[in-house]
């Protein structure tokens, strides 16, 4: 199934996406409640005049760094090698769920940054709780897959990272994380080799495949669940695909740019960049 959260008057609802038509799922609750209930689809009926929202408000956001190509491109511009620890440790930082927006929403550009950047990522949505999850069983805990545009204020991020605490305002502002357009359930999509593409104003800026992840999603889930329970509705990001950010190309977003992040089997997450400081 392709699942969405939509608004058509009367609040947000869970729906199914079939051939670009949204069908009401017949469920009284949000996406996380739907996942926890076992995805019980009722009498599906077409809905007109819908606006797609982010498919869920995640319980948590964990973002990893799994693509060696992105690491080499980004660190290479700084004249830095990939740390040896990267090859053995699937480290992550935590994002803020309240910052999430959805498809077609305008991307806010904070007044404090001059270098707004996109980041193309594949994201797993947890559907089954677990703690100390064995790698060989980790994918059993994935409910589905979506696209994550993890936006960055690169100039601010560069200053903050020198402090050794990770990103702060380089990542955190209202609208700095975009999810969507849907969640594709894990039973319908093998995420091991999906083509990933970024287009800006129709021009391809980068292409990669999820097959190039050094750390697999099984690795990420096993690591994140060490001594900690993962719950339905938590989101784990692959980190940026090679060529999936402007940083790697020294090309930067401009006001009014249309961003299209596409992953085979999921669809296209489309947004327009707003005015700086608006």
């Amino acid at each position: 199934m392709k699942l969405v959260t939509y608004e058509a008057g009367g609040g947000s609802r869970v729906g199914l996406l079939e051939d670009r038509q949204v069908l009401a799922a017949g469920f009284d609750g949000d996406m996380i409640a739907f996942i926890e209930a076992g995805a019980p689809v009722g009498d599906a009926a077409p809905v007109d005049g819908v606006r797609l929202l982010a498919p869920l408000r995640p319980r948590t956001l964990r973002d990893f760094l799994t693509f060696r190509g992105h690491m080499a491109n980004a660190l290479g511009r700084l004249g830095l090698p990939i740390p040896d620890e990267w090859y053995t440790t699937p480290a992550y930082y935590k994002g803020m769920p309240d910052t999430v927006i959805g498809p077609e929403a305008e991307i806010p550009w904070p007044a404090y940054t001059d270098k707004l950047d996109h980041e193309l990522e594949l994201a797993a949505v947890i559907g089954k709780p677990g703690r100390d999850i064995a790698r060989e069983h980790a994918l059993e805990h994935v409910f589905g897959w979506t696209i994550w545009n993890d936006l960055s204020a690169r100039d601010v991020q560069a200053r903050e990272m020198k402090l050794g605490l990770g990103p702060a305002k380089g990542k955190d502002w209202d609208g700095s994380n975009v999810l969507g357009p849907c969640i594709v359930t894990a039973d319908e999509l093998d995420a091991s080799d999906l083509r990933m593409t970024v287009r800006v104003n129709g021009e391809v800026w980068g292409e990669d495949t999820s097959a190039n992840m050094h750390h697999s999603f099984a690795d990420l889930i096993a690591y994140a669940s060490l001594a900690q329970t993962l719950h339905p509705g938590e989101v784990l990001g692959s980190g940026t695909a090679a060529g999936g950010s402007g940083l790697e190309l020294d090309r930067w977003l401009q006001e009014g740019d249309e961003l299209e992040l596409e992953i085979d089997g999921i669809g296209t997450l489309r947004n327009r960049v707003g005015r700086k400081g608006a």
Side-chain angles (χ1 to χ4, degrees):
M1 292 185 292
K2 285 188 174 182
L3 298 167
V4 297
T5 295
Y6 69 91
E7 200 280 327
S12 62
R13 307 290 294 179
V14 175
L16 286 72
L17 186 62
E18 295 185 0
D19 298 325
R20 299 186 180 183
Q21 172 69 58
V22 173
L23 309 177
F27 180 78
D28 188 16
D30 66 9
M31 185 65 75
I32 292 180
F34 181 77
I35 294 170
E36 290 177 320
V41 176
D43 293 329
V47 184
D48 295 325
V50 303
R51 178 173 64 93
L52 293 186
L53 309 173
L56 80 166
R57 180 192 178 278
R59 274 190 163 138
T60 64
L61 290 165
R62 290 180 178 86
D63 206 6
F64 295 77
L65 280 168
T66 71
F67 287 91
R68 187 185 182 282
H70 170 71
M71 293 288 289
N73 292 340
L75 291 177
R77 287 198 167 272
L78 302 174
L80 298 174
I82 299 174
D84 291 341
E85 291 81 0
W86 178 82
Y87 292 94
T88 58
T89 305
Y92 61 89
Y93 77 88
K94 296 175 183 177
M96 301 180 69
D98 283 339
T99 64
V100 171
I101 58 176
E104 305 296 343
E106 183 176 87
I107 292 173
W109 186 327
Y112 60 74
T113 180
D114 294 322
K115 288 188 174 181
L116 181 66
D117 200 7
H118 59 278
E119 299 194 51
L120 167 62
E121 305 193 19
L122 174 64
V125 180
I126 297 298
K128 175 182 165 184
R131 183 179 188 270
D132 293 319
I133 299 168
R135 186 185 181 282
E136 57 268 29
H137 297 296
L139 292 183
E140 299 170 14
H141 294 260
V142 175
F143 174 77
W145 307 95
T146 192
I147 303 171
W148 183 355
N149 185 359
D150 163 42
L151 294 155
S152 295
R154 291 297 190 190
D155 43 1
V156 177
Q157 182 187 23
R159 294 194 300 270
E160 291 175 338
M161 295 301 285
K162 293 177 181 178
L163 301 176
L165 289 176
K169 298 311 294 182
K171 293 285 188 179
D172 295 339
W173 67 87
D174 292 340
S176 60
N177 292 286
V178 193
L179 296 177
C182 62
I183 298 171
V184 181
T185 51
D187 61 327
E188 292 198 3
L189 186 65
D190 178 357
S192 63
D193 186 7
L194 298 177
R195 186 169 56 90
M196 307 170 68
T197 306
V198 174
R199 292 184 295 273
V200 181
N201 300 324
E203 178 188 355
V204 174
W205 277 27
E207 292 181 294
D208 201 359
T209 168
S210 59
N212 289 330
M213 292 173 63
H214 175 74
H215 302 289
S216 70
F217 272 99
D219 297 327
L220 310 188
I221 292 167
Y223 190 73
S225 71
L226 291 174
Q228 184 175 20
T229 303
L230 300 185
H231 298 278
E234 301 198 55
V235 170
L236 282 66
S238 64
T240 311
S245 65
L247 171 67
E248 300 168 62
L249 310 172
D250 196 25
R251 299 183 71 176
W252 303 100
L253 297 175
Q254 304 296 320
E255 295 178 354
D257 281 351
E258 182 180 72
L259 269 170
E260 293 178 300
L261 276 56
E262 182 176 3
I263 298 181
D264 280 357
I266 301 175
T268 301
L269 179 59
R270 185 178 293 105
N271 300 90
R272 192 170 295 277
V273 178
R275 291 188 299 108
K276 181 178 177 181

